[in-house]
Amino acid sequence: QAKNSAERDAVPYHSGLETGALHKKRLGFALRSAIEEQQLSVVYQPIVRASDLAVVSLEALVRWDSKEFGRVSPADFIPVAEETGVIHDIGRFVFQRACEDLAAWPGLKISVNVSPVQLRDPNFANDLAAIARRNGVVPNRFKLELTEGLLVRNPTIAKRKLARLKSMGFGLSLDDFGTGFSSIGYLRQFPFDWLKIDKSFVSELGTNPTANALIQSMIALGDAMDIAVVAEGIETPEQLKLLRLLQCEFVQGYHLAKPMSASDVTALLARLGEGRRMFAGGADSGY
Ligand code: C2E
Ligand code: MG
Ligand code: MG
Ligand code: MG
């Protein structure tokens, strides 16, 4: 501890970078024992049908409460976990937890994020199937969320792996769509069920005409290819209103619901009742 702060103080130039690298190393070290020490948990964010605001699915998102660093954002620790290989254990942990939790939520799908590093593991598909089987859960309760980077780097292998997962019953969702390099023709080669429009487009809805046009064309693309479109990061009633006008099928974001614990999901669903509609009145409530 004392040595680390001394090292930090001794670096006069580029100290931000130096401590950044050191910080990453320390994060990576702490992350190795995070699962065993029960510092990881899983929260769930509802995905909602735009027309009636019914909850259709829940996205599992990992959380890390470190003794040393406090709450660390996945944006900071997932890249470290990928570099150190701990991502494989984290992935299995999240999937196991999701299998346990979804028993309380019949009729709902669960989306699970998968890093390209996990997919590279030759045992990935078999591991997931084994965990699902052990928990008495069928793979079609799940959608695996993947990002474009994976497809671009090695399309032939990615195509084979995705086809295999699909044949096992897993649904597939293309996350952060629009931020990578995927072309339309390219997308056709992959068996995605869902396409998630990245929140960077949604945040500019209504203020940047280009964002509106881009979202509109992504929705048209989804329609043409029979892929359901989900818009991420809806933070305002205006954004929701515009997405409904553009006939976006599903929405997700703080305006609808924030990520929450499994017990909070259960309480929310109980409160919403049969129709699972997020706001009383749903489509007619002025949104
Ligand atoms: P993602 O899969 O694109 O997840 C969406 C992120 O946006 C989540 O951040 C979510 O909490 C946040 N979000 C949701 N609604 C809103 C909104 O209205 N406004 C804003 N500004 N943000 C919103 P989170 O949980 O911090 O996760 C960040 C990223 O970390 C995820 O992006 C995903 O790529 C990765 N990640 C999270 N959990 C896992 C996991 O279990 N495994 C893997 N491999 N990656 C994960
Ligand atoms: Mg995701
Ligand atoms: Mg995303
Ligand atoms: Mg992301």
Side-chain angles (χ1 to χ4, degrees):
Q1 183 81 22
K3 185 170 180 269
N4 285 340
S5 48
E7 273 171 9
R8 253 202 312 276
D9 295 340
V11 180
Y13 304 113
H14 312 297
S15 59
L17 280 176
E18 295 292 335
T19 52
L22 179 61
H23 183 63
K24 252 180 128 177
K25 223 173 193 164
R26 293 174 65 206
L27 275 186
F29 190 77
L31 201 49
R32 284 197 301 200
S33 51
I35 298 181
E36 246 173 61
E37 293 180 10
Q38 304 190 347
Q39 296 170 359
L40 294 188
S41 58
V42 179
V43 292
Y44 298 91
Q45 186 181 31
I47 298 174
V48 170
R49 195 192 295 125
S51 58
D52 62 356
L53 304 183
V55 177
V56 296
S57 185
L58 297 157
E59 179 174 2
L61 296 160
V62 70
R63 292 292 178 260
W64 179 25
D65 265 305
S66 159
K67 271 202 210 81
E68 197 177 339
F69 304 101
R71 175 156 275 202
V72 188
S73 160
D76 293 326
F77 75 80
I78 293 289
V80 176
E82 289 174 338
E83 268 173 48
T84 58
V86 178
I87 192 68
H88 302 290
D89 284 333
I90 293 180
R92 283 186 287 263
F93 166 81
V94 171
F95 193 72
Q96 168 63 34
R97 185 55 63 80
C99 285
E100 294 163 12
D101 290 339
L102 63 70
W105 311 320
L108 289 181
K109 303 259 183 187
I110 309 283
S111 296
V112 175
N113 291 285
V114 173
S115 124
V117 176
Q118 289 172 267
L119 203 76
R120 231 177 279 149
D121 173 4
N123 293 320
F124 175 73
N126 288 336
D127 280 355
L128 280 202
I131 294 170
R133 202 179 322 113
R134 216 163 40 233
N135 286 276
V137 179
V138 287
N140 68 26
R141 289 291 299 279
F142 290 99
K143 282 204 168 60
L144 306 178
E145 296 203 353
L146 306 150
T147 50
E148 292 165 274
L150 164 105
L151 315 176
V152 178
R153 223 166 298 129
N154 206 328
T156 315
I157 291 177
K159 211 150 91 185
R160 205 180 60 229
K161 295 205 171 198
L162 296 195
R164 170 112 199 283
L165 286 163
K166 188 86 190 183
S167 75
M168 293 169 112
F170 292 102
L172 300 174
S173 181
L174 182 55
D175 206 351
D176 304 343
F177 186 68
T179 59
F181 296 96
S182 52
S183 76
I184 298 171
Y186 196 72
L187 193 59
R188 275 174 63 192
Q189 304 176 29
F190 297 98
F192 286 105
D193 308 280
W194 273 9
L195 180 163
K196 296 186 84 174
I197 299 176
D198 191 68
K199 54 179 173 286
S200 59
F201 297 94
V202 173
S203 69
E204 292 184 14
L205 248 186
T207 56
N208 179 351
T210 310
N212 289 46
L214 283 171
I215 288 181
Q216 208 164 353
S217 61
M218 290 188 237
I219 291 169
L221 186 64
D223 282 346
M225 294 195 302
D226 218 13
I227 301 175
V229 173
V230 187
E232 301 188 285
I234 284 84
E235 293 182 344
T236 69
E238 291 73 27
Q239 289 166 351
L240 178 58
K241 193 175 172 179
L242 282 167
L243 286 161
R244 284 174 134 178
L245 281 174
L246 297 175
Q247 312 238 23
C248 183
E249 194 171 0
F250 300 107
V251 287
Q252 182 181 20
Y254 296 163
H255 174 58
L256 296 140
K258 291 196 168 167
M260 61 186 95
S261 68
S263 57
D264 283 349
V265 170
T266 302
L268 171 72
L269 294 173
R271 200 169 68 238
L272 298 181
E274 277 290 285
R276 296 194 187 120
R277 292 160 78 160
M278 281 307 298
F279 304 120
D284 306 319
S285 67
Y287 283 101

